Amino acid sequence: MSSLRPFCLTAWSATPVVAALLLLAPASHSPAQAQPAQAASSASTSASQTAVAATTQPSSSTERGITARAIDKVKQVAKSAGDIFSRVPCLPPKGGAKSMGSLPHVAGKLIAGQPVVIVAFGSSSTAGYGASSPDFNYPNRLAAQLRRQYPTADISVINAGVGGEDAPEMMKRLQKEVIDVHPDLVIWQVGTNAVLRNLDPGDTAKLVEDGISRIQAADEADIVLVDPQYSPAVTQRAESAGKMVRLLGKVAELRHVGIFPRFEVMRDWHEKQAIPVESFVIADGLHMNDWGYACFAQLLGDDIIRSVGQIKLGINVPADVHAYRPM
């Protein structure tokens, strides 16, 4: 991985959904401030009540105006996020990335019309840090895509991402948050924080392999590993990042599970598709933005949908070959 190059990242600001949502809280008006004006306007009870109505009406109108504007702003943000690919298209990697298998368990469930449970397991990339709204993190994007494709299916995508964690912390909650849920598919994003902490990639790979063994012993779930992101904070540690990517790929091959090569996919965005880094990474130089999460989810969802299509067509994939890369 010595050929990896750090980037110079320009500042990028996320869409101000938070500010818009804050506007939804109406401005407060103290009854104590309105009382003197009401008493001075009339001595009678009925006149006082009329004065109260007169003084509160503009306030209510103002509050409705603020709320309406805030709602309009949120709708604009949602529309902007919804048509995000019309500005920068989400394309699969150019050349070389071919399918190496399928996801037979989750695909079989979808074909049979049975409920499907997917657990997205990982750290802040799974939790969705950097997205302008929870709706725009990758698990929710993936769920929306699969539900559009299979509108009659009962699909649950559980977000089990906790920021700052890596394999040692994830192993402590593997039983409760993954195995005990009995998922049909586990998407395990891991390795980035180990690189940032200068942990031994070999130790991380060993823990991940042990975790996969535990999942496979308990369930027939498909498993997909997601390796670190290609972003300035990671590529500054090129040697460690490269080793982590290689080792996770070897673990996937050894344990016959899937691998989504996020590092290579994101590098393709920048180097082959000429997309500026700030178009898919936020200003911290590490986390993805709405577009990054959306394209990641789209490519992953495309492979799940492709797996369903393969099984419907009777394409037999060897039981011991589950690893795949985006086509």
Side-chain angles (χ1 to χ4, degrees), residues 247-263:
L247 286 176
L248 289 177
K250 289 181 178 179
V251 168
E253 183 179 0
L254 178 66
R255 300 305 309 178
H256 309 298
V257 302
I259 180 76
F260 186 96
R262 181 170 57 154
F263 191 90

Side-chain angles (χ1 to χ4, degrees), residues 194-260:
V195 171
L196 299 180
R197 296 174 189 168
N198 292 317
L199 301 181
D200 184 354
D203 292 341
T204 297
K206 181 63 169 62
L207 286 173
V208 171
E209 184 178 355
D210 290 345
I212 292 173
S213 297
R214 288 175 56 188
I215 297 171
Q216 290 175 328
D219 292 294
E220 295 182 356
D222 296 320
I223 302 171
V224 174
L225 295 181
V226 177
D227 61 23
Q229 62 263 50
Y230 183 72
S231 62
V234 176
T235 59
Q236 287 173 1
R237 296 166 172 80
E239 183 177 354
S240 179
K243 187 175 181 181
M244 183 68 72
V245 169
R246 290 192 298 273
L247 286 176
L248 289 177
K250 289 181 178 179
V251 168
E253 183 179 0
L254 178 66
R255 300 305 309 178
H256 309 298
V257 302
I259 180 76
F260 186 96

